[in-house]
Amino acid sequence: MVRKLVSELNYFDNLYYEVCNEPYERSGMIKEWNDGMVATIVEAEANLSKKHLIAQNFPPSPILDINPNVSILNFHAATPEVARANYHLDRPLSFDETGGSDRSDRKYRTEGWDWIMSGGAGYDHLDFSFTTDRPDGSAALPDGTPGGGGRELRKQLHVLKEFIESFDFVRMTPKDSLKAGQGTVRILADEGKAYAAYIHGGAQAEFTLELPAGEYKAEWVNTKTGALERADMLRHQSGERQFSSPAYVEDIALRVQRR
């Protein structure tokens, strides 16, 4: 069956393979079985024109043993600490299933920003507004639904996507998070060229970044709408530079790029 699937899907470039969903919660899905499925995918693609990435689903904790043919590390109910604990493995880290513990847009918007800004590479939300009779994602969330979703949340997650894609993202690495008043500041940096900051919590924040001498454009981005709250041109003489955010509700992002 695996060989048949790999053969029929080889033409398509918009997919990757995950062997099993949450194997750590199912009896019998042992490492040897998982490795056997991975080996079958690799073998089946060996003489085909396209090669696809293979993912494995891990519990949200530090990973100690990885099959060398696994490229994407998938997590459920992940946290920024999980991203930081596994970042050194030099593989894409995907939060590929959000939890069903909350219905609010804030929960999943801030969770996505925190994950990506901590070194994550993918964030996939279980959107309960998609149903069999509303496949366009327009269903109202009924009482008792364990998770959230809807068009407004998808617009907010699109802001995150556009923000990250405004950088040469793959060259950026996470720095240690900071405290700024009531908020937490997470930073991605392409040192000397570009810096992304995400502030979660509080209503106004101040923090410093170490920047080389140069001219920079600093833009404060509304994480809900994508609108620019403020844009500043900076001429910096090297060393620490203080940044003071405009007032915000819940969270805000900062884009700093060298001119």
Side-chain angles (χ1 to χ4, degrees), residues 192 195 209-213 216 234 236-241 243 256:
Y195 303 82
L209 287 176
E210 186 84 17
L211 303 177
Y216 297 86
L234 312 175
H236 185 59
Q237 299 300 318
S238 84
E240 289 190 344
R241 176 80 187 203
F243 290 88
V256 180

Side-chain angles (χ1 to χ4, degrees), residues 36-109:
M37 296 298 102
V38 171
T40 302
I41 295 172
V42 174
E43 175 193 356
E45 280 200 330
N47 295 318
L48 299 177
S49 60
K50 296 188 188 309
K51 305 295 185 287
H52 292 82
L53 299 178
I54 301 173
Q56 184 170 343
N57 192 187
F58 292 92
S61 58
I63 299 172
L64 303 177
D65 185 19
I66 304 176
N67 184 309
N69 289 310
V70 167
S71 298
I72 303 172
L73 312 181
N74 282 350
F75 302 93
H76 297 176
T79 64
E81 290 70 31
V82 173
R84 297 308 305 272
N86 293 291
Y87 189 81
H88 69 283
L89 298 173
D90 200 27
R91 287 170 168 81
L93 309 174
S94 178
F95 188 159
D96 83 320
E97 183 182 310
T98 58
S101 59
D102 199 299
R103 292 164 57 90
S104 70
D105 290 350
R106 175 179 180 171
K107 159 71 174 176
Y108 300 109
R109 181 188 71 252

Side-chain angles (χ1 to χ4, degrees), residues 124-173:
D124 300 339
H125 175 55
L126 291 180
D127 191 327
F128 285 79
S129 69
F130 288 92
T131 64
T132 53
D133 61 337
R134 293 293 181 89
D136 61 347
S138 63
L141 298 179
D143 292 340
T145 300
R151 287 173 173 168
E152 179 57 34
L153 175 58
R154 295 196 293 275
K155 290 178 183 177
Q156 294 178 21
L157 293 179
H158 186 71
V159 173
L160 169 57
K161 178 179 184 292
E162 287 194 325
F163 179 84
I164 288 298
E165 289 179 352
S166 69
F167 297 93
D168 191 2
F169 172 62
V170 296
R171 298 184 183 278
M172 305 181 83
T173 56

